[in-house]
Amino acid sequence: MALGDPEAFTFYGWVVCVWVLLVSFQYGFHISSLNQISDVLTCQVTEPGLPSTYYGLPTCIFMDNPTFSVLTSIYTVGGLLGSVGANVVMDRWGRKGACLASAFIMAIGAGFMGVAASLSPLVIGRLLTGVAAGLGLCVGPIYIAEIAPSKIKGAVGVLTQFAIVIGIMITQAMGLQLATPRTWRLVLLFSSALSLAQLIVGPIIVESPVWLNRHGLLRDKDASARRLWKSGHAVRSPDVANEDAEDPLLGSEQESLNPNRSTDSHGPAVAVPQVLLRREFRKPLAIVCFSMLCQQLSGVNAVLYYSNNILSKALPDLGPYVSLGITIVNFFMTAAPIFLIDRLGRKKLLSLSATGAIVSLLAVGFGLDSGAVVLASVAIISFIASFAIGIGPVPFVMIPEVSPPQAVSALSSVGLSLNWVANFLVGLVFLPLRDFLSHGDASKEGRVFFVFAAFLAFFTFMLFSLYRG
């Protein structure tokens, strides 16, 4: 370990870590925020004798299925917009400033949805929550990586995906209890209140020492380091004017993952067009993009689409709790990489995850085509478990590790924008592709999962051809 490397978080350091993870939690929360309350929100379920308004607001907002689908998908559009502009916000106002911007937009967006009396503010609010999630998903992993002590950097990095899964689980659990005409708004107002709390706590949160160092704010960097890390007393810049003062986060571990991180660490931030055009960024750009494509083109959203239908048949008495049960499996399996990532390494964990996911996808497809509901059910659970131990969390850890420091914001913006685009395209083509491959035969609907298995195998191969781990 390089001299001055942080050994562990202080208690305050963990507080900052949790504060940062709230932006990832909100991303997961709003992925599923409308799922459980959809029937009462769209007036498909009502209470006899209940007035049409409650506390001056309508108890539901009528929507047909296509309109609700547009409302749901507008989140992805907002996420793309937030990711595209994230690098500018991160580099200009810092990691903390970007988190505060995400929290501010989320508070407004979720608040709009929570008090909406018609479709328009609901759509605007949904779009804003997407923008906030897109921005937060870019800055969160970088902020976490820049404050994490070297010994636990991988484990702390996995907490990004862990927070996302917790967000999904909390919103599903809340939805089961609050999916009534009187209380569905509380799900959305909870999100707004949480972001307001994040804004209130913001003044006591320190900026990333790495960002402060790159901007020449060495005294602030030292003060931040002393509060975050137990070895903070050893992290100081002997000469405030010395811009080559050692950054404790650019020690031997990071250099082994990305040798370029030790050079040009104080240069000006690189914009997205430069990342796309300059030769020296091609390899990290390719690694980031392939890791994002592995994540989304694995077909995880398609599997989740089928999971409710299949598992509800296998467990008919537990139908309403199937989604929550799947998320709980995801929760426990995402906890595993926290303990395994620094022991096994990023590449080995990805390899185990991808292998398990590919085999599971093939089994889902075979199970659906052969009518083997039990096989398909088991394969869905094994796919979710395989995804959770590697393909889900590891790409968020990789982005700041493989990126040159002056390009980390731009590469994150490009990678997460690609993630949102791939997510949107999978949702767009999944049903038409399923119907095309099955020729309208319900007994052949599993064929689409063979395509996802092939995509995952291809992009995993491309990633491993570049990424040393």
Side-chain angles (χ1 to χ4, degrees), residues 117-293:
S118 63
L119 182 61
S120 296
L122 205 59
V123 170
I124 293 171
R126 183 71 172 169
L127 179 67
L128 289 176
T129 59
V131 171
L135 173 56
L137 201 58
C138 283
V139 66
I142 294 175
Y143 203 162
I144 288 292
E146 291 179 349
I147 66 173
S150 299
K151 286 185 177 180
I152 56 172
K153 188 174 290 293
V156 173
V158 172
L159 292 178
T160 293
Q161 180 70 12
F162 198 56
I164 292 171
V165 173
I166 292 174
I168 296 172
M169 186 169 64
I170 293 296
T171 191
Q172 289 180 345
M174 289 180 68
L176 285 174
Q177 298 298 319
L178 300 175
T180 71
R182 288 187 176 95
T183 57
W184 64 265
R185 295 178 184 274
L186 294 178
V187 176
L188 303 166
L189 293 175
F190 168 81
S191 172
S192 182
L194 188 62
S195 288
L196 287 173
Q198 188 176 12
L199 289 170
I200 292 170
V201 176
I204 70 170
I205 302 299
V206 296
E207 179 56 83
S208 158
V210 175
W211 186 86
L212 292 169
N213 188 58
R214 289 195 62 247
H215 287 75
L217 303 172
L218 302 186
R219 285 197 181 97
D220 291 337
K221 181 202 79 170
D222 294 342
S224 176
R226 282 190 290 269
R227 297 188 69 186
L228 288 168
W229 304 315
K230 288 185 178 179
S231 62
H233 64 276
V235 182
R236 59 171 57 89
S237 303
D239 181 0
V240 174
N242 180 12
E243 293 188 355
D244 294 323
E246 179 184 18
D247 190 320
L249 292 176
L250 304 182
S252 57
E253 180 183 356
Q254 285 284 57
E255 289 170 9
S256 67
L257 288 167
N258 182 9
N260 294 329
R261 290 189 67 89
S262 60
T263 62
D264 198 23
S265 62
H266 297 77
V270 175
V272 169
Q274 293 172 292
V275 161
L276 296 175
L277 296 175
R278 283 168 54 175
R279 188 180 187 89
E280 63 265 35
F281 300 125
R282 288 180 184 173
K283 185 174 181 179
L285 175 64
I287 291 173
V288 169
C289 289
F290 285 136
S291 68
M292 292 294 111
L293 290 172

Side-chain angles (χ1 to χ4, degrees), residues 353-363 383 386 449 452-454 456-458 460:
S353 175
T355 301
I358 291 169
V359 172
S360 299
L361 285 169
L362 295 174
F383 173 84
S386 299
F449 292 99
F452 287 122
L456 179 56
F458 173 75
T460 300

Side-chain angles (χ1 to χ4, degrees), residues 91 99 103 130 136 138 222 241 249 252 260 263 306 312 345 349 373 444 458 463:
D91 288 329
C99 282
C138 283
D222 294 342
L249 292 176
S252 57
N260 294 329
T263 62
Y306 263 94
S312 293
L349 207 55
V373 175
K444 302 299 180 184
F458 173 75
L463 175 61

